[in-house]
Amino acid sequence: TSFPVGESETLVLGRDSKQCNIVLDENDLYIGRRHCEISFDGQRNQFFVKACSVNGVKLKNGKKIEKDDSAFLPRGTTVYLGSGENVFNLR
């Protein structure tokens, strides 16, 4: 499934349908109610990812974006949310 992100849009991922526009497995307690936010910065040609959950956002290279931290990530970066079953490729 693809989720397009426009220049002025932010995707909010998590398990709470009241806070998120992309709702993940509501029974996966490793997914925060408001797990992370993803937006696209056209000037940098990169994605901006902010972790909102205590479990953070894991990257394919083993690094992690901790809660309340954020990072610019290049296109093609793979991120893992929760127990690792929720995988997203930022394109």
Side-chain angles (χ1 to χ4, degrees):
T1 303
S2 294
F3 303 102
V5 183
E7 180 93 27
S8 61
E9 296 177 322
T10 299
L11 296 179
V12 181
L13 293 78
R15 58 184 166 88
D16 184 346
S17 61
K18 293 178 183 169
Q19 297 183 57
C20 305
N21 49 7
I22 297 176
V23 179
L24 304 172
D25 185 353
E26 295 175 344
N27 297 315
D28 185 346
L29 298 180
Y30 292 103
I31 297 290
R33 287 186 293 272
R34 182 183 181 98
H35 198 90
C36 69
E37 300 174 1
I38 300 174
S39 57
F40 184 73
D41 184 323
Q43 289 184 336
R44 289 180 180 239
N45 196 31
Q46 292 186 328
F47 287 89
F48 181 77
V49 178
K50 178 181 178 187
C52 305
S53 167
V54 295
N55 292 318
V57 175
K58 297 171 189 136
L59 306 178
K60 187 174 184 177
N61 64 8
K63 293 185 180 183
K64 182 176 177 184
I65 303 170
E66 299 290 344
K67 182 180 188 223
D68 296 328
D69 284 343
S70 56
F72 283 99
L73 302 174
R75 291 176 179 266
T77 300
T78 300
V79 297
Y80 301 86
L81 307 182
S83 59
E85 294 178 15
N86 296 284
V87 182
F88 296 87
N89 190 295
L90 306 176
R91 296 181 182 237

